[in-house]
Amino acid sequence: MKQKVFANTENVCLNQIHPNPTPQSFILIEMKKIILFIGVYLALCQVVFSSEGRQVKSINFDWKFTLTNPQGASAKAFDDTKWRALDLPHDWSIEGEFKKENPSGTSGAFLPGGIGWYRKDITLEKIDPNTIYSIRFDGVYLNSDVWINGFHLGFHPNGYLGFEYDLTPYLIEGKNTIAVKVDHSKLPSGRWYTGSGIYRNVWWETKNRTYLLEEDLFITTPQVSTEKATVHLAASILNQKKRKAKIEVQINVLDKEGQLVSSTVKKYQFQKQQEIALDFEVENPNLWSPKSPSMYTMETIITHNGKEIDCYSTTFGIRKVEWKPNEGVFLNDEPILIKGLSNHQDAGPLGVAVPEDVLYRRLKMLKDMGCNALRTAHHPFAPEFYTMCDTMGFMVMDEAFDGWWNTKAKFDYGLHFEEYWKKDLETFIKRDRNHPSVVIWSVGNEVKGYTNEQQKLLVEEAKKWDTTRPVTQGRGYKGDHIDIAGFNGHGEFKNVLEKYNEDHPQKLIIGTEITHTLQTRGVYRTKTWYRTKDNPAPWEKPEHFKKLEPKIYKIEDLSEEEVFEGISPKYQSSYDNSIVRIGVRDDWNRVEQMDFYVGNFRWTGFDYLGESFNWPARTANFGIIDLAGFPKDHYYLYQSLWSDQPMVHLLPHWSHKGKEGVKIPVVVYTNCDEAELFLNGASLGRKPMNESRQIVWQVPYQKGELKVVAYTDDKIQASKTIKTAEEAYTTTLTTDKRVLQADRKDVLHCEVSVVDQNGVFVPNASNELQFKVTGGGHLIGIENGDILDMSSSKYDLNRKAFNGKCLLIIQSNGQKGNIKIEVEGEGLKSQQLIINTIVL
């Protein structure tokens, strides 16, 4: 009896299914009616498993852990009763203390590493001689060794790629003990925060000894039109039995509704391995795109003597991507610009152990902003990330490595590169190549001292496993062998991209890391800030600014004298005037004007841990969304450039005590034709949007209400109002869910905002807040977005509001009943909120 899971976000009214839609709620609530056993990740991955053949089970719960290195911990008989009990995924570094002396330093946000051990018992009542038993880790950072019943299974140095071990020869009936050693004692091991531990999902898999090799499965769509598409399948079936396999293979292609659109049955006889190559035709296909991310499922059923022995399915998309020199990118014969963001994988207060709900919320914010592409900087992400990108509609630049043979951090993967890179690159591409979201590979980023021959080796190796996508490299434009020229910071200077196009007219250019601007939520300066001049990076010198000044896209000051004095120089302005080499608006004008410049991946979407400028800072402010997941003003600037939905946004806030009569630059972002500004009901004029991509009024400050109205074709399309806040009085608690599943996995986000007695947000509030969560949930993260706040995001239950806000991340602890969230604050009226938990 096959168990099927189909999910697609297209044409689904999520609010009819669940009042606060998440990937769990919109898939699981419906699917649990027909699924006897399946985890959240299985639903997200839309994989089909056979109850008589292949079975996959999450084993994330109930591990034992110690952040020590006890002798003999790999032995089955070792006593781990005093170890800490926990669930996976788990990142122990984020649980540690921020210390200036921690060897991770600025790269790793001053958090600790160490050596940690995990152990778990699995009980097997019976071992089937016709079954293969294996364990799969989606990601362990770093340098892991795994044992089963004291037998060493292997060593894996790559912290970003999954790996699998065959357990079959070592299992016994009864209790079996898995032991994992994770050695992250040598730091820094990366140029950003990496985390430590078994930080992704772990799976227990069983399958028949004759089975489909999932890593060899490759689905391509060589011919695509709106009338008809050809779908090509290449696959392998492995027979580990001594006798010849005599099997029947049925392959079904199903649409997003689960309806059969194509099918074939083949019979095979073979001894060890059988290759399969088949073509299918799909009439009037639903083509995949960011606006319409339609998915199909290919189901492969293997039977022997009429009995099903394996069933494996994977989702895929039908789409055509063309990269045309001097014309741009065409998706399904339509031109499309890359509206992209680079991101690291951490989620602020959670480190790198990111629940699916948290990842989904982050991607949903980017989708709502108008983003259509993401770059995995600078390594493979978790498998569920790609499935969400498939079903939500993101194009992905999938990046394999940061550096190559030469280390960039003292103890990074470069130490193992020579031995492992070919196998890891093969694993990486085979893992992700069936995702329609993946449209381009990247084989490196800012690689130190690479040679043209080295680049050739990487590109040729990548193309052994996939020739359907182009290959690029972050800042790899000097090499001859990449298909698309990738530019990082150097491409932000004037005339660099134009000159490259003159010399290489047959190569498109993509901004693999463009542009770099900085903002701190709620902070404003009216004078333009240039990093090289005002706060140079370690490799920059202030005197270089005069030399670089002609190459920089300068931004005019918003006032002759600085309006907002006394702000820490470690914070950056939320006007679009804190830049490295080019601002957001100037760069997007370049994208729209140059056909050979197909778009970019801004650095970055979210603030991330690590790569800070110095103690005491956990990061720099490159993100357009802060560490807590609160948008900065740049979020709305990008929305005005990228989104088709009418919108308008104005800044700064309108609570400037002591500034009465001072002219405040009021900036408006909108994708409408023009906007009108009102102060306390009086119009301050109507202005058109132009190539500057912002509208500015100089408004003498007075308390009250500031309102903007946006028009297209003289019709109101959007409006926004902000008000002057009085003294802080209490907090408001807003959550993204009204109920939690009592499953130890479901997560909600609670936004805490300081408000005055009239409920008006207080944008400069910094009250000390105290939090308490009881009942069916527990706090897994607290964050305010302040890069200089070195409080523990796991254990400090007190946190200052930063510019009026703080975020609580709460996860179900498995108990049915109410969750009570209580917030008290210095000089504030206390608040509480009740959330129900349910069992499905």
Side-chain angles (χ1 to χ4, degrees):
M1 181 70 181
K2 295 181 292 297
Q3 303 165 355
K4 301 180 180 67
V5 179
F6 307 110
N8 195 287
T9 58
E10 185 189 20
N11 298 326
V12 175
C13 182
L14 299 182
N15 286 321
Q16 292 178 357
I17 298 175
H18 193 279
N20 297 286
T22 70
Q24 290 178 341
S25 61
F26 76 75
I27 298 175
L28 284 177
I29 288 177
E30 292 297 306
M31 292 305 132
K32 284 205 174 187
K33 299 173 184 175
I34 60 171
I35 298 175
L36 300 176
F37 172 80
I38 199 161
V40 175
Y41 171 70
L42 305 187
L44 287 169
C45 283
Q46 307 167 59
V47 180
V48 179
F49 300 99
S50 165
S51 58
E52 297 179 4
R54 185 186 302 255
Q55 292 185 350
V56 177
K57 176 183 178 181
S58 168
I59 54 170
N60 283 345
F61 292 162
D62 302 319
W63 288 71
K64 293 292 189 69
F65 172 73
T66 181
L67 189 53
T68 59
N69 188 21
Q71 190 172 6
S74 63
K76 181 178 179 181
F78 182 85
D79 183 7
D80 59 16
T81 55
K82 294 183 179 180
W83 289 15
R84 171 186 169 192
L86 54 76
D87 295 340
L88 304 178
H90 173 241
D91 173 6
W92 80 65
S93 287
I94 197 65
E95 299 174 341
E97 185 178 350
F98 293 97
K99 289 184 177 179
K100 186 176 182 180
E101 59 268 26
N102 277 333
S104 65
T106 57
S107 297
F110 304 99
L111 285 165
I115 295 176
W117 281 83
Y118 298 83
R119 287 170 57 94
K120 182 177 175 63
D121 293 332
I122 301 286
T123 300
L124 298 177
E125 296 181 1
K126 181 182 178 181
I127 296 177
D128 186 346
N130 292 317
T131 297
I132 298 171
Y133 300 82
S134 60
I135 187 170
R136 184 171 75 249
F137 296 84
D138 283 347
V140 181
Y141 201 90
L142 177 73
N143 298 325
S144 65
D145 287 274
V146 181
W147 291 262
I148 181 74
N149 296 331
F151 294 95
H152 186 242
L153 297 172
F155 167 74
H156 187 76
N158 192 312
Y160 302 112
L161 276 174
F163 53 96
E164 185 173 345
Y165 293 118
D166 184 359
L167 307 177
T168 312
Y170 314 107
L171 295 176
I172 61 173
E173 293 183 355
K175 185 177 79 170
N176 295 267
T177 301
I178 303 162
V180 182
K181 177 185 178 183
V182 184
D183 187 349
H184 193 201
S185 57
K186 295 180 178 180
L187 291 94
S189 64
R191 297 185 302 111
W192 52 83
Y193 176 78
T194 63
S196 303
I198 307 178
Y199 71 100
R200 292 181 185 164
N201 296 312
V202 183
W203 308 97
W204 180 275
E205 183 170 0
T206 60
K207 53 181 174 277
N208 190 278
R209 287 185 177 272
T210 301
Y211 62 95
L212 184 82
L213 276 170
E214 58 190 84
E215 62 267 28
D216 284 354
L217 182 77
F218 191 17
I219 301 171
T220 55
T221 54
Q223 301 295 326
V224 175
S225 72
T226 55
E227 292 79 27
K228 183 183 292 185
T230 301
V231 178
H232 178 75
L233 168 67
S236 300
I237 298 174
L238 190 65
N239 177 30
Q240 292 193 4
K241 297 176 181 178
K242 293 181 180 179
R243 63 182 182 273
K244 181 180 288 187
K246 297 181 180 180
I247 61 171
E248 184 175 273
V249 180
Q250 178 176 338
I251 300 172
N252 301 323
V253 178
L254 308 157
D255 66 15
K256 61 184 179 181
E257 307 296 339
Q259 299 299 311
L260 187 68
V261 298
S262 188
S263 182
T264 191
V265 177
K266 297 285 186 179
K267 292 184 178 181
Y268 298 97
Q269 292 188 36
F270 62 99
Q271 190 66 45
K272 292 184 177 180
Q273 188 163 326
Q274 176 66 51
E275 305 301 320
I276 296 175
L278 295 170
D279 289 316
F280 302 84
E281 285 193 350
V282 178
E283 302 288 339
N284 303 312
N286 295 310
L287 302 185
W288 186 94
S289 72
K291 290 186 177 180
S292 180
S294 298
M295 299 295 292
Y296 286 83
T297 300
M298 184 171 286
E299 178 183 66
T300 304
I301 304 166
I302 304 173
T303 57
H304 173 68
N305 291 334
K307 180 182 179 182
E308 183 180 301
I309 59 173
D310 194 17
C311 178
Y312 181 82
S313 286
T314 189
T315 52
F316 68 97
I318 297 175
R319 50 105 174 112
K320 177 171 65 174
V321 184
E322 298 174 284
W323 303 73
K324 299 181 180 181
N326 276 313
E327 294 185 52
V329 184
F330 291 77
L331 178 61
N332 304 325
D333 297 318
E334 296 292 332
I336 189 169
L337 295 177
I338 303 296
K339 302 173 180 178
L341 302 167
S342 296
N343 282 300
H344 285 308
Q345 66 174 343
D346 73 277
L350 304 182
V352 295
V354 183
E356 281 95 342
D357 279 355
V358 175
L359 176 59
Y360 176 80
R361 176 182 182 261
R362 290 163 69 88
L363 295 184
K364 181 67 164 56
M365 290 181 69
L366 301 182
K367 190 70 177 178
D368 291 344
M369 188 189 72
C371 171
N372 68 10
L374 298 169
R375 175 191 181 211
T376 65
H378 305 286
H379 54 75
F381 279 17
E384 56 267 30
F385 165 82
Y386 301 90
T387 301
M388 290 188 194
C389 289
D390 287 345
T391 58
M392 297 176 73
F394 290 99
M395 297 178 287
V396 174
M397 174 183 287
D398 209 1
E399 197 150 81
F401 309 116
D402 184 31
W404 297 343
W405 284 269
N406 297 321
T407 58
K408 297 169 76 173
K410 187 175 181 180
F411 300 105
D412 71 15
Y413 178 72
L415 297 173
H416 303 280
F417 192 81
E418 175 62 29
E419 181 177 357
Y420 287 94
W421 76 267
K422 285 187 178 181
K423 179 59 181 174
D424 285 349
L425 188 59
E426 176 186 352
T427 298
F428 161 68
I429 291 179
K430 285 184 173 181
R431 187 197 71 166
D432 294 344
R433 64 188 178 180
N434 290 319
H435 289 284
S437 57
V438 176
V439 299
I440 184 170
W441 304 111
S442 172
V443 292
N445 171 69
E446 299 182 358
V447 179
K448 289 174 60 177
Y450 74 89
T451 66
N452 208 32
E453 186 59 33
Q454 287 175 336
Q455 187 184 80
K456 181 181 179 183
L457 284 174
L458 270 291
V459 172
E460 288 181 347
E461 192 67 25
K463 291 189 175 184
K464 284 183 182 179
W465 313 113
D466 181 21
T467 58
T468 69
R469 297 170 174 89
V471 179
T472 191
Q473 177 186 329
R475 206 175 75 183
Y477 56 90
K478 290 185 178 180
D480 295 333
H481 301 285
I482 52 174
D483 302 305
I484 311 296
F487 276 81
N488 286 15
H490 182 62
E492 297 175 355
F493 287 122
K494 288 181 178 180
N495 300 318
V496 167
L497 301 186
E498 295 90 331
K499 180 65 168 61
Y500 184 88
N501 177 249
E502 289 176 9
D503 296 337
H504 305 84
Q506 293 305 306
K507 278 192 179 178
L508 292 173
I509 294 173
I510 192 165
T512 39
E513 205 165 289
I514 295 176
T515 181
H516 300 72
T517 59
L518 300 98
Q519 289 196 331
T520 304
R521 175 179 54 83
V523 172
Y524 301 93
R525 291 192 189 89
T526 57
K527 303 285 284 184
T528 302
W529 177 95
Y530 303 94
R531 187 181 71 184
T532 307
K533 176 172 69 73
D534 299 306
N535 188 26
W539 58 89
E540 296 170 331
K541 296 181 179 179
E543 58 267 26
H544 289 171
F545 182 73
K546 288 185 179 180
K547 180 180 178 181
L548 296 176
E549 191 171 7
K551 301 179 182 180
I552 292 173
Y553 287 78
K554 299 193 75 175
I555 294 175
E556 290 186 8
D557 294 333
L558 289 167
S559 64
E560 291 185 9
E561 301 294 330
E562 179 56 59
V563 173
F564 303 107
E565 299 282 359
I567 299 168
S568 168
K570 295 180 172 63
Y571 297 141
Q572 296 306 320
S573 171
S574 283
Y575 291 115
D576 182 33
N577 62 357
S578 292
I579 71 170
V580 181
R581 289 163 287 261
I582 190 172
V584 174
R585 294 169 290 125
D586 283 325
D587 185 58
W588 195 248
N589 283 339
R590 295 195 309 176
V591 172
E592 292 189 338
Q593 292 164 5
M594 303 174 182
D595 289 337
F596 58 83
Y597 183 29
V598 299
N600 54 38
F601 293 91
R602 180 232 159 78
W603 191 263
T604 55
F606 286 84
D607 277 345
Y608 57 93
L609 293 171
E611 288 194 281
S612 83
F613 44 79
N614 216 327
W615 177 270
R618 296 177 287 162
T619 184
N621 272 158
F622 283 113
I624 58 175
I625 301 170
D626 72 13
L627 285 170
F630 297 135
K632 307 175 191 178
D633 288 287
H634 261 164
Y635 179 93
Y636 303 100
L637 172 55
Y638 274 103
Q639 192 173 55
S640 73
L641 299 173
W642 288 357
S643 176
D644 295 329
Q645 297 299 315
M647 59 76 62
V648 68
H649 177 74
L650 77 163
L651 59 145
H653 60 75
W654 206 240
S655 299
H656 304 290
K657 190 174 182 179
K659 296 290 184 184
E660 287 75 8
V662 176
K663 286 185 178 179
I664 306 289
V666 174
V667 175
V668 166
Y669 303 137
T670 183
N671 53 12
C672 301
D673 292 344
E674 52 187 353
E676 186 173 10
L677 190 67
F678 298 85
L679 177 60
N680 295 328
S683 175
L684 302 182
R686 191 158 156 172
K687 296 185 179 183
M689 180 56 73
N690 55 41
E691 64 179 12
S692 71
R693 305 299 187 134
Q694 67 180 17
I695 307 172
V696 182
W697 284 263
Q698 297 290 338
V699 182
Y701 178 69
Q702 60 176 273
K703 292 171 58 175
E705 178 181 282
L706 198 63
K707 180 180 179 180
V708 64
V709 177
Y711 306 86
T712 295
D713 295 331
D714 211 32
K715 295 180 180 179
I716 295 176
Q717 301 294 320
S719 65
K720 184 170 182 178
T721 300
I722 54 177
K723 296 180 180 180
T724 304
E726 302 299 335
E727 296 299 317
Y729 174 72
T730 187
T731 58
T732 59
L733 311 183
T734 306
T735 62
D736 60 348
K737 294 183 184 178
R738 292 193 281 271
V739 294
L740 272 188
Q741 297 178 49
D743 59 3
R744 295 162 66 176
K745 296 175 288 190
D746 213 6
V747 172
L748 69 79
H749 299 79
C750 180
E751 184 176 329
V752 181
S753 301
V754 179
V755 297
D756 68 11
Q757 197 159 2
N758 298 313
V760 176
F761 174 61
V762 183
N764 47 17
S766 58
N767 304 69
E768 184 85 24
L769 304 174
Q770 298 87 43
F771 307 106
K772 186 177 182 182
V773 176
T774 54
H778 63 114
L779 267 173
I780 61 172
I782 304 173
E783 182 57 71
N784 60 12
D786 182 0
I787 66 171
L788 303 181
D789 188 337
M790 308 302 270
S791 307
S792 170
S793 62
K794 293 288 188 180
Y795 300 120
D796 289 345
L797 297 181
N798 291 10
R799 183 65 61 95
K800 280 189 175 183
F802 180 64
N803 288 332
K805 287 188 176 294
C806 195
L807 183 78
L808 310 180
I809 304 177
I810 298 166
Q811 188 169 47
S812 160
N813 60 18
Q815 300 176 18
K816 185 180 179 181
N818 291 336
I819 300 172
K820 181 187 283 189
I821 305 170
E822 299 175 84
V823 179
E824 295 182 350
E826 172 190 9
L828 302 177
K829 180 183 177 182
S830 62
Q831 291 286 354
Q832 70 176 37
L833 183 66
I834 302 297
I835 301 292
N836 292 322
T837 63
I838 59 173
V839 177
L840 294 179

